[in-house]
Amino acid sequence: MSLDLAVIGGTGLYQFPGLEVTERVRPETPYGAPSGDIVIGTLAGKRVGFLARHGESHTIPPHRVNYRANVHALHALGARRVIGVNAVGGIRADMGPKVVVIPDQIIDYTHGRFTSFCDVDGAKVEHIDFSEPYTAPLRQLLLAAATRAGVAVVDGGCYGATQGPRLETRAEITRMQRDGSDLVGMTGMPEAALARELGMAYACMALVANWAAGCGDQAEISLDEIFANLAECTSQVPRIIQALLAAE
């Protein structure tokens, strides 16, 4: 039985509140094991799969996530739509802490990651069109769902994906600003591209945990503040997803 939707949770989202769990699976893939169990259950009468990107105890840093195994496992379970939930830093003035953003573009600054299912001997080489990295119809469904759920979100913006796990320098953020990045995070790529290679609809829900280095009025980034802001943002995620599914 296929999944109506898959959700990949980022930092701060390790379980999915409201999901009526029916099973937990951890399928092996040609690329190894996913980050943890894929928790399957029902939400708003729909069959949903949830995977904690960093593991349920946050033991996997962003540059060590097995993105290929995660995406492949969800696809093998029948997921054809994926919402990636990502903790990010805010660069643009209207994307400060506790803001939820549905970005529409991405710049990849990562390195050394397995970025494609083509990265194995004998695999078919796929040149995906990645002009629009997030699937427009799924983005629109998220935006409409947020409105119905009464959650304010920012429509659009460019996600700059960095290597991590360290946070960025002020100079790096200044460069990203010049490049057109509005947000900075560590897990946006290659997840989005891998989903595209498998023909899966993919959209991102970016939760702003803090101002990026040199942005806003903070002198120093506090991890305690990051997690407090994330807790507030994360509480909005199930409401938006439930509103999306309830309308279908």
Side-chain angles (χ1 to χ4, degrees):
M1 186 176 180
S2 63
L3 300 175
D4 294 297
L5 184 71
V7 178
I8 301 177
T11 299
L13 185 60
Y14 310 115
Q15 292 87 33
F16 198 91
L19 183 66
E20 297 177 13
V21 178
T22 56
E23 60 181 313
R24 300 172 69 100
V25 297
R26 191 182 300 196
E28 278 293 327
T29 79
Y31 312 96
S35 294
D37 290 348
I38 297 171
V39 181
I40 299 174
T42 57
L43 183 71
K46 303 297 192 303
R47 186 171 161 85
V48 174
F50 175 78
L51 173 63
R53 187 185 290 112
H54 299 283
E56 291 184 0
S57 299
H58 198 102
T59 55
I60 308 171
H63 65 299
R64 298 295 298 274
V65 171
N66 192 338
Y67 295 96
R68 292 190 301 181
N70 288 350
V71 174
H72 190 280
L74 292 172
H75 186 269
L77 290 171
R80 296 298 178 265
R81 301 186 302 172
V82 180
I83 303 295
V85 182
N86 303 79
V88 299
I91 298 175
R92 206 169 84 187
D94 61 340
M95 296 183 182
K98 304 180 186 179
V99 171
V100 179
V101 183
I102 313 299
D104 61 350
Q105 277 296 326
I106 195 162
I107 299 175
D108 189 3
Y109 298 96
T110 66
H111 54 85
R113 303 182 182 190
F114 289 109
T115 60
S116 171
F117 292 112
C118 304
D119 290 334
V120 292
D121 291 340
K124 181 183 177 183
V125 177
E126 297 280 356
H127 298 285
I128 57 169
D129 179 359
F130 209 50
S131 305
E132 303 297 331
Y134 301 113
T135 306
L138 188 53
R139 282 191 70 257
Q140 292 305 315
L141 288 175
L142 269 180
L143 292 166
T147 298
R148 288 193 300 274
V151 178
V153 299
V154 175
D155 178 2
C158 183
Y159 180 132
T162 58
Q163 181 70 357
R166 68 168 177 83
L167 299 176
E168 301 74 29
T169 68
R170 288 174 181 252
E172 287 169 333
I173 294 300
T174 298
R175 179 190 65 160
M176 293 176 70
Q177 233 173 348
R178 289 196 302 265
D179 289 346
S181 295
D182 303 305
L183 301 163
V184 57
M186 303 172 188
T187 54
M189 286 292 285
E191 194 171 276
L194 293 168
R196 180 65 55 85
E197 284 191 3
L198 293 184
M200 303 165 80
Y202 182 92
C204 168
M205 197 182 307
L207 312 181
V208 183
N210 57 279
W211 285 112
C215 300
D217 56 2
Q218 64 184 14
E220 187 175 340
I221 297 173
S222 159
L223 289 180
D224 288 340
E225 187 177 350
I226 284 175
F227 286 112
N229 292 337
L230 273 180
E232 187 167 330
C233 283
T234 299
S235 68
Q236 311 297 329
V237 173
R239 292 171 56 194
I240 296 173
I241 299 297
Q242 185 154 1
L244 186 156
L245 293 169
E248 297 181 333

